[in-house]
Amino acid sequence: MLDSATKRSIRHFWFFVCIVLGLGGCAWLPGQVSLRVNVAGIEPLEGEGLEMRFIVKLRIQNPNDAPVEYSGVSLQLDVNGQPFGSGVSDQTGVVPRFGEAVIHVPMTVPAFAAVRQAFALAGSAMAGNVSYKVQGRLAGGLGGGTHFADHGTLSLPTYSLISQ
C-alpha cells in the first residue's frame, strides 16, 4: 500500500507528463507535416542612418488538415553563411488548412553586414552564386509557435572585365 505522499508524487509526475505532452502541440501528433516557407519577395524600404531596410514577403503553406494560428513572426537572414539581417512583426493571422498565406516582415540590415557582404561578393564575383538561409518562428499556440527554415542559391549576373 502506498502512503499519501507517494500517491501525491505519482499524481504530480503524471500531471507534469500531461503538461509537457500538451505543450508539444500539433508537432507531436501523427501525420503532421512541417509548414513550407519560401521567400516570395524582398522590397526596399527607406532606411535610417547607415542601415538598410526591406520588407520580406514569406509564403507560408500549410499541408495539414488543421489551420495554424500565429500571433507574431521573427526571422533571420544569412547570406553566404554570415548573418545579414533580421526582422520581427506582431502580425496575427491564420494559415488555413491545406492553404497558404503571405506574411510581410520588415527586416533591418546593419551597415557593417552590408559592407561585409559587398566585399565578399566582390571577391567572388566570378562564381555568380550567393547562398541564403532564412529561419524564423511563427509565434502562437500552446507550444510557443512553429519554427521554419528555407535555403537556396541566388544566381547573380557575372560581368567580364575584358571588353570584346
Side-chain angles (χ1 to χ4, degrees):
M1 195 75 182
L2 299 174
D3 64 355
S4 65
T6 304
K7 287 180 183 178
R8 188 173 35 242
S9 295
I10 291 172
R11 273 197 310 263
H12 286 138
F13 170 77
W14 283 112
F15 178 74
F16 176 76
V17 168
C18 290
I19 292 295
V20 169
L21 291 176
L23 289 178
C26 298
W28 289 13
L29 294 176
Q32 294 296 309
V33 179
S34 298
L35 297 177
R36 296 181 192 121
V37 178
N38 295 300
V39 177
I42 298 176
E43 296 177 3
L45 290 174
E46 186 174 331
E48 294 183 30
L50 296 176
E51 69 184 11
M52 295 187 302
R53 306 251 312 141
F54 298 94
I55 285 287
V56 177
K57 296 178 183 179
L58 298 175
R59 181 171 306 281
I60 314 290
Q61 294 179 331
N62 180 6
N64 296 295
D65 194 23
V68 174
E69 294 183 31
Y70 62 92
S71 60
V73 62
S74 66
L75 65 82
Q76 168 73 38
L77 174 65
D78 296 343
V79 176
N80 285 330
Q82 297 290 320
F84 186 66
S86 61
V88 294
S89 174
D90 65 352
Q91 298 177 64
T92 61
V94 175
V95 183
R97 63 184 284 277
F98 297 111
E100 60 182 40
V102 175
I103 301 172
H104 298 154
V105 182
M107 180 180 70
T108 302
V109 177
F112 293 113
V115 170
R116 180 179 62 233
Q117 288 299 326
F119 280 118
L121 290 175
S124 66
M126 299 311 268
N129 292 324
V130 176
S131 65
Y132 72 90
K133 178 180 170 185
V134 175
Q135 54 190 358
R137 182 173 72 96
L138 288 176
L142 290 175
T146 303
H147 292 272
F148 62 84
D150 182 33
H151 66 281
T153 303
L154 300 173
S155 296
L156 298 178
T158 57
Y159 299 99
S160 174
L161 296 177
I162 302 172
S163 61
Q164 298 182 16

